[in-house]
Amino acid sequence: MHKYRLVVNPYEIEQWVNDMASQGWYLQKFTWFRFTFERGEPGSYIYRHDELERFGASYEEEYLEFLKSSGIEQVDRSGNFVFFRKPAYEGPFELYTDKKTKISNLSKKVTVLLWVILLNLMIGIIGLNGDFSEYEVDWFGLSLNVMNIFVVLVFSIPLFKLIRLRKHLKRDLDVFTD
């Protein structure tokens, strides 16, 4: 079965993949928007995501080998975004629990989303201004500019969710344990 979701908030995607696993649908492959699930026994696996360094950091191979030796299976990888799983009967597991790493990863996503939004907003506004300043309307250009504004609206919601999540993590940051 294929499902489509945009990977913007990794924690929401991880929760969704675990919800699918509790219903017996196990993640097999994924890209940034397409997820392939296979039917199995409900609740057999727990999934976690991780975002590895891009372009093969020197410790990446050692890290993946360590996870494998710990009984954690790499399900699939799309870019630097990786899903792992472990049998549920072995109990819950976390890949990293420090809030500083989570905050850092969220900050990177917020920056990328913010640039995508600002770029589309700028192109859309400049284009719309040009579309209505002429006597005849260029419908193709108008539709592209409206699409840019639509992209701004679509990506604004996850942006605000990520900012709110980052804010909660920063508020809960403990100097002595994190």
Side-chain angles (χ1 to χ4, degrees):
M1 171 175 64
H2 301 290
K3 292 260 184 179
Y4 297 90
R5 289 210 174 182
L6 187 62
V7 177
V8 177
N9 184 342
Y11 301 102
E12 282 184 2
I13 293 295
E14 183 181 281
Q15 181 61 45
W16 174 66
V17 168
N18 278 307
D19 289 345
M20 293 293 289
S22 70
Q23 298 168 20
W25 291 102
Y26 296 109
L27 181 67
Q28 297 299 309
K29 296 188 316 186
F30 74 99
T31 62
W32 286 102
F33 62 94
R34 183 179 179 193
F35 293 77
T36 304
F37 293 92
E38 185 177 274
R39 189 79 171 147
E41 188 72 27
S44 296
Y45 290 102
I46 297 171
Y47 287 83
R48 294 289 177 245
H49 83 280
D50 200 355
E51 296 171 60
L52 303 176
E53 294 291 326
R54 288 190 178 266
F55 307 116
S58 59
Y59 58 84
E60 183 179 304
E61 196 170 308
E62 291 175 38
Y63 175 67
L64 293 175
E65 190 60 39
F66 169 74
L67 292 177
K68 187 176 181 180
S69 68
S70 302
I72 298 171
E73 176 187 354
Q74 180 178 336
V75 176
D76 197 18
R77 178 178 185 163
S78 180
N80 66 334
F81 199 84
V82 185
F83 261 106
F84 297 96
R85 74 180 182 183
K86 193 171 180 180
Y89 68 83
E90 293 181 10
F93 77 101
E94 295 287 335
L95 292 177
Y96 52 85
T97 57
D98 64 313
K99 291 178 183 138
K100 286 181 182 175
T101 303
K102 290 179 180 179
I103 291 169
S104 173
N105 287 338
L106 287 172
S107 294
K108 291 176 190 172
K109 290 192 176 312
V110 165
T111 302
V112 169
L113 273 178
L114 197 57
W115 277 108
V116 168
I117 288 171
L118 289 175
L119 186 64
N120 278 286
L121 183 64
M122 186 177 74
I123 291 171
I125 288 174
I126 290 172
L128 286 174
N129 189 29
D131 289 339
F132 292 114
S133 65
E134 299 174 6
Y135 293 108
E136 290 186 26
V137 176
D138 174 17
W139 292 104
F140 181 72
L142 178 64
S143 59
L144 284 178
N145 294 320
V146 169
M147 185 68 83
N148 283 327
I149 300 299
F150 180 73
V151 167
V152 169
L153 295 174
V154 167
F155 283 106
S156 293
I157 295 168
L159 174 69
F160 289 117
K161 285 182 177 180
L162 289 177
I163 289 172
R164 188 174 51 201
L165 179 60
R166 185 178 66 179
K167 185 178 175 184
H168 285 291
L169 287 173
K170 281 183 177 178
R171 190 175 342 136
D172 296 339
L173 197 62
D174 185 357
V175 175
F176 298 107
T177 58
D178 293 321

